[in-house]
Amino acid sequence: MNDIQKTIFASLWDYKQAGILDPNTDNDEYLLSQLLRLSTIQKEKIRIDQKDEEYFLNKNQSNIKSLIERKSQNVKNLELILEVESFANTFKDITSLENGLVEFKKFHSLKGSNKFLLGAGNRNSKILFISEPPSYEEELQQKPYVGEAAKLFEKIIEAMGLIPLNKSNCNIFVIPAVPFRIVKTSDDIISDLELIKPFLKRYIEIISPQYMIFVSKMPSNILGLSDFLKFDNREGYLGDYLGIPTIEIESIKSMINNPEQKRKTWNSLKLIIQLMQNENKQ
């Protein structure tokens, strides 16, 4: 009982002793039973409140611990990004950059990949293609595209008046946006797309092409250019990155699966072809 209940009980007892209260009567018996029941309910409520308080404290402690762990992971992620940026910026040519890329052991996807797919074609080309991440077969054959995808990519290159990769006098250079097959990581671990960004940016800076073509949305997503380049325009859009005229075309694989996508690609290609033609006339 609490203090109030004790006082009431004492008063009722005094009434009984004085003959005023008779527990044998219905009303008085009911009054005493309710008083005792109230005491039991109060004890139960206190027990439940204590459990709730313990649960709340435990949950709060768990949330605080989780928050601290996430903040700690975010700091580690930021430190790693800064480390990668500093590392990538030390390279002065394509060979040293690609060697550094291969030596970098912190990509999560390397567990599922056979080997890196690096740049292909003419390193002195003024036209840079940034292709999709390689498939299993493309990794094995060390080619940006194989099979039907290779044939379609070759047609696109020739339609632009350029010389494809399978020719000795090739005049394009192709690098993958990510040089290995991507493995999904948990949300709290920095993704390989974030880790590859400094390398991809440094690739572009070293090559310093006059024109650039992103194949699929992967390159723009990695570089954070999705909105800036307005790639959703079906009539094509000529943007720029680091002052370089840049377009995006549809994924080669998506064009194979959906031929309608070729029209959107051609609309974008025409913009850069016209720009190249005007440059040649000057």
Side-chain angles (χ1 to χ4, degrees), residues 29-75:
E29 186 177 357
Y30 175 76
L31 181 61
L32 283 173
S33 67
Q34 290 303 306
L35 176 65
L36 294 174
R37 179 174 176 274
L38 182 62
S39 176
T40 304
I41 291 172
Q42 185 69 17
K43 287 180 181 177
E44 183 67 17
K45 184 177 185 302
I46 290 171
R47 188 176 67 80
I48 292 173
D49 286 347
Q50 287 174 338
K51 278 191 171 183
D52 286 345
E53 185 176 354
E54 289 172 5
Y55 172 78
F56 178 75
L57 288 174
N58 290 336
K59 187 174 182 181
N60 254 8
Q61 288 172 353
S62 176
N63 288 341
I64 290 171
K65 182 180 178 182
S66 176
L67 179 62
I68 291 172
E69 289 174 350
R70 285 200 303 272
K71 286 186 175 294
S72 176
Q73 186 63 53
N74 288 341
V75 170

Side-chain angles (χ1 to χ4, degrees), residues 132-171:
E132 305 152 78
S135 65
Y136 177 75
E137 281 299 320
E138 289 160 355
E139 264 189 356
L140 286 180
Q141 296 189 36
Q142 289 290 278
K143 295 180 179 179
Y145 297 104
V146 299
E148 191 176 356
K151 293 177 182 177
L152 178 55
F153 186 64
E154 182 179 335
K155 286 181 180 179
I156 290 172
I157 301 304
E158 291 176 337
M160 296 179 67
L162 303 172
I163 303 171
L165 294 173
N166 59 350
K167 305 292 184 182
S168 59
N169 58 341
C170 166
N171 63 353

Side-chain angles (χ1 to χ4, degrees), residues 62 92 98 101 106 108-109 118 189 193 201 209 217 226:
S62 176
K92 306 300 180 185
E98 291 183 338
L101 192 57
K106 296 185 180 181
H108 310 290
S109 299
L118 301 174
I189 298 177
L193 298 186
K201 183 173 181 290
K217 293 187 181 299
S226 300

Side-chain angles (χ1 to χ4, degrees), residues 123-141:
R123 292 185 175 186
N124 296 317
S125 172
K126 62 182 181 180
I127 303 166
L128 173 64
F129 286 80
I130 302 182
S131 64
E132 305 152 78
S135 65
Y136 177 75
E137 281 299 320
E138 289 160 355
E139 264 189 356
L140 286 180
Q141 296 189 36

